[in-house]
Amino acid sequence: MTAKARTRLFTEAPLSANETVDLGKDKAHFLKNVLRLSPGDHVAFFNGKDGEWLGRIDSLSKSAATVVLVNCTRLQTPMPDVWLVFAPIKRARIDFVAEKVTELGVAQIRPVITRRTVMSRVNTGRLEANALEASEQCERLDVPPVFEPQSLATLLDQWPADRRILWCDEGASGGPIAQALAGLDDGEKSDPWAILIGPEGGFDEDERDRLIDFEGAL
């Protein structure tokens, strides 16, 4: 009978057969006191590089745990290369954004400050924690990185030339998304993409004009 993992955990450690993963106090507490696991129970690990591995708990105390890796259960596969660039919103809602876009498979999470952005500070550590937890729960094999906020002007100045932007204009100047994408050829559709979502008050006129003129924006 195939052993079944009781939970999934992200680790920075390399994963391979018979290697040991050492866990600190927080993870040991989670396994022992939250999930009520014991030595001999199984957990799964992923690190964004080596696929998913089944591990067997070898030792477990209040302050530490060791898990011996048994076998690879899923090979590493690439995620869709789509970035989310968005103007930050209130705390509970921004946590929800990080969780759901991770579940949907975005490759990067990039907060951007526009002229009408209400939130001037972003707790990127909290967003990273939300993205990590969502990855553990939704079967992703990686965790999308969360970037520090930057202004829209700086973002566009440093934008990679090979990546296209699908920007969501509340004024609907570009028409429905499906209609806009239908006008692209296959090569353009297969380019790396980012989705840009503005603030609650929308982009101002200067920002909208720049996006309209920006090469690679749609």
Side-chain angles (χ1 to χ4, degrees):
M1 185 175 180
T2 303
K4 183 177 181 180
R6 301 285 297 277
T7 190
R8 298 178 77 242
L9 298 175
F10 176 80
T11 179
E12 298 283 355
L15 304 176
S16 60
N18 300 318
E19 289 293 325
T20 297
V21 178
D22 296 314
L23 302 178
K25 183 176 181 179
D26 290 344
K27 292 288 178 66
H29 168 78
F30 176 69
L31 296 180
K32 182 179 179 64
N33 299 318
V34 179
L35 296 183
R36 305 291 185 182
L37 301 187
S38 304
D41 287 329
H42 291 80
V43 297
F45 288 98
F46 65 102
N47 63 3
K49 298 174 291 186
D50 300 322
E52 182 177 274
W53 284 75
L54 184 70
R56 184 182 62 255
I57 299 175
D58 185 54
S59 66
L60 180 59
S61 68
K62 293 180 179 179
S63 59
T66 58
V67 183
V68 178
L69 299 178
V70 179
N71 62 282
C72 179
T73 56
R74 293 168 60 198
L75 297 176
Q76 190 72 32
T77 55
M79 295 295 293
D81 187 13
V82 178
W83 298 356
L84 175 71
V85 183
F86 71 106
I89 50 180
K90 294 178 181 178
R91 175 174 168 175
R93 294 180 178 179
I94 198 173
D95 290 348
F96 184 78
V97 168
E99 174 187 338
K100 294 307 174 185
V101 300
T102 297
E103 293 173 354
L104 289 170
V106 299
Q108 294 185 6
I109 300 174
R110 291 177 168 259
V112 64
I113 306 301
T114 68
R115 293 180 183 176
R116 292 176 178 166
T117 299
V118 176
M119 302 295 291
S120 59
R121 299 180 63 186
V122 177
N123 186 340
T124 53
R126 185 180 178 88
L127 293 185
E128 288 170 346
N130 278 285
L132 188 152
E133 183 175 351
S135 292
E136 291 178 336
Q137 294 180 0
C138 77
E139 304 295 323
R140 274 189 73 148
L141 292 174
D142 65 347
V143 180
V146 178
F147 287 75
E148 290 295 329
Q150 58 184 165
S151 70
L152 178 61
T154 300
L155 179 87
L156 295 178
D157 286 342
Q158 299 175 354
W159 194 256
D162 64 340
R163 183 170 297 272
R164 300 177 67 86
I165 303 176
L166 177 64
W167 64 285
C168 302
D169 179 17
E170 75 285 353
S173 63
I177 291 176
Q179 179 181 319
L181 294 177
L184 301 177
D185 61 37
D186 291 341
E188 291 171 321
K189 290 178 182 177
S190 63
D191 286 341
W193 281 84
I195 299 172
L196 170 61
I197 301 174
E200 296 170 75
F203 298 103
D204 75 2
E205 185 175 348
D206 289 341
E207 291 170 335
R208 186 176 287 106
D209 287 344
R210 180 166 186 191
L211 285 166
I212 290 172
D213 295 336
F214 192 78
E215 184 175 357
L218 180 64

